[in-house]
Amino acid sequence: MFIKPFKIKSNILVTGSEKKRLRQRVMAQFNRPDEETGTAPSPLAELFGNRAKVCTVKLITYHEEPVTVYTSDKRPIFFELNGKLLPTVYTLWSCPDLVPAFTTHATVLPKLANGADLMIPGVVKKGTNLASWGRHQKDDVVAVNLTSNRAAVGVGLLAHSSSDLYMCGGHGVCVRMMHVFGDKLWGMEPSVCQQVPLHGSVVSVPTESDFPPLGSEKPKPVEEAVKQVTKSLENAALTAQEEESTSDGDASDDEPQEPEEAEKPPNPDELIKGALLNALKLHGKKIALPLLTSTFYPQYVQPEIPDGIEMKKSSYKKVGTFFKRMAEEGLLEIKEEKKGIEKVTALNLEHPAVLSFYPYKAQKASADGQDAPGGPASSGASNPLLLTQMTAMYAVSERTAKLFGCFNVALGKTLDQTQVRNYMRDYVGRNKLINPSTKLVTLDDTLRDICGCPPAPEEPEVLVGLADLTETVLNCMTSTFEMRSQKGAVTKGGKRAIIHLTTATRSGNKKVTLISNLADYGINVNDFAKAVKLGAAASTTMTEVPGSKGEQLMVQGNHIKFVFELLTTTYQVPKACITGLEFAKEQKKKKKK
């Protein structure tokens, strides 16, 4: 219903009595007790609190259907359809048990975001009998969540009753989707947009036959890939494990304690020293010496330190103490010219620690452009000025927390597929796990735990391809989705799209500015029109050009120069990709006095 843009007719702040009636209506429809004088109000009642600004927004959908939306602090919480209130995903994230939920696979969400309904074959049930469909009637309000996350990603109406769904034979529509995460209703106010929070996976979906426990004899997809490369080595590893378990009983008691010791947070001293080694490895030959320590540290060492690591949290405490320790180890030489003024005079690039160190590229959180799960969309991940698209994300799980802890990536942090690949390359290269003869990855204890291989120190090495290993890590992470801004232009026929700026004359000899192909650069045309309306003090309208895709923006008056500066500065569109600057209105030259 809200996949395509809608038109807002009115946005009115409700009074206190109207807010009270709306709250009572919500409580009555969803069978919730109205706690007016309670000391601890429920999350649903907090949406209508005394300080909350509740507004009634009347809009017209793309298919000319009138809909009333209720917002709380600019965030949509309910929308009314045929006299029935439906909660938005924001409301369901704060009140997860407000309506019954139907579970589907994560790969189905992009289909729902494109306007499809949830079909019966895509529903993941808890059984095969009639009770697995619940006791619901037709047109009941239900939510849709994923097997990897209990948080709702959509809201809809049941197409059939529970008994009819059971008798459909596994065919037909189950839920008629009305609102999906990432649609225009979700992004109604870009400043308060929120990504899907992680509420834990649906535990009852997997079965023991599909996902056998670790250490079982049934081969897993990862172990099958391992056996294809080194089948003989795997058999030898299993026999070695059996001998150790029968001969040494004390060792088996100590094994469960090893992962607990390894899961400790990284040592700040090692990370800061690693940042120095990384700087020496990457920039050592380019650094002009002598150089003040107060300049050397912020310019070369500090950019390589992971986020959250501070000098005060380490044993060094101060930068001067850190440089003295490094000078004692022979990594560099410092000289004190005056009291409190020290300079780095030499760098030992032939030090064994420098030669054996594998360099890496520092990745800051600001470059990643991500916030904590469930927080507001940041400017790097989702720019309100640009159109957004659904991106598959992977959250760090308990099984992969030890692996990503080396890069200071906390548990629950979401990463995209490219970031996971880069982290895997850095981890494999930094620990020198590439076999020079086969170009395959040798699994260490951390990777063995992820792949489900027995962690035996005396076991022969197990080799896996980097692509298969990365795919295994992705499968062990929690899959989710985020709405991210489109970056870069859409290429057509191998060429970059061009934004055309032209002028035309309308009735009454009035000049207008025509702007086309804005959507090719992911620009939100509605927000762009608002910026032009405020900046140029001119009215704007959207028109459809026959024979071309997308809409054309028409601005009253000749504002070519203003639009050109807005595109190149705010939206950072290359100047070479904009045509029509020659139609700009020439400014009158001031007469000399």
Side-chain angles (χ1 to χ4, degrees), residues 53-172:
K53 295 181 179 180
V54 180
C55 297
T56 301
V57 181
K58 294 186 179 296
L59 51 88
I60 303 296
T61 63
Y62 185 82
H63 298 288
E64 302 296 333
E65 297 178 4
V67 178
T68 302
V69 179
Y70 300 97
T71 63
S72 176
D73 295 331
K74 297 183 179 181
R75 181 171 291 169
I77 54 175
F78 290 95
F79 62 97
E80 187 174 356
L81 186 65
N82 297 329
K84 181 179 294 186
L85 291 175
L86 282 77
T88 63
V89 290
Y90 295 113
T91 304
L92 294 178
W93 292 342
S94 59
C95 307
D97 57 344
L98 186 63
V99 295
F102 281 70
T103 305
T104 185
H105 300 283
T107 54
V108 180
L109 180 57
K111 306 295 182 182
L112 301 180
N114 289 334
D117 292 328
L118 179 61
M119 310 301 287
I120 294 179
V123 178
V124 179
K125 304 185 301 297
K126 299 180 180 180
T128 57
N129 54 2
L130 178 60
S132 62
W133 292 100
R135 297 180 180 180
H136 310 300
Q137 301 298 324
K138 183 180 179 181
D139 292 335
D140 280 357
V141 181
V142 295
V144 176
N145 57 15
L146 305 179
T147 56
S148 58
N149 192 1
R150 292 182 180 274
V153 294
V155 180
L157 300 175
L158 270 182
H160 307 280
S161 62
S162 298
S163 57
D164 291 340
L165 290 174
Y166 176 72
M167 299 299 296
C168 281
H171 300 284

Side-chain angles (χ1 to χ4, degrees), residues 551-584:
E551 295 179 322
Q552 187 181 58
L553 179 64
M554 184 176 67
V555 185
Q556 296 292 334
N558 189 339
H559 301 285
I560 294 288
K561 189 173 182 180
F562 173 80
V563 173
F564 181 83
E565 293 179 354
L566 182 65
L567 290 172
T568 54
T569 56
T570 304
Y571 291 89
Q572 299 181 354
V573 178
K575 296 181 180 180
C577 299
I578 304 175
T579 62
L581 188 60
E582 62 274 10
F583 299 111

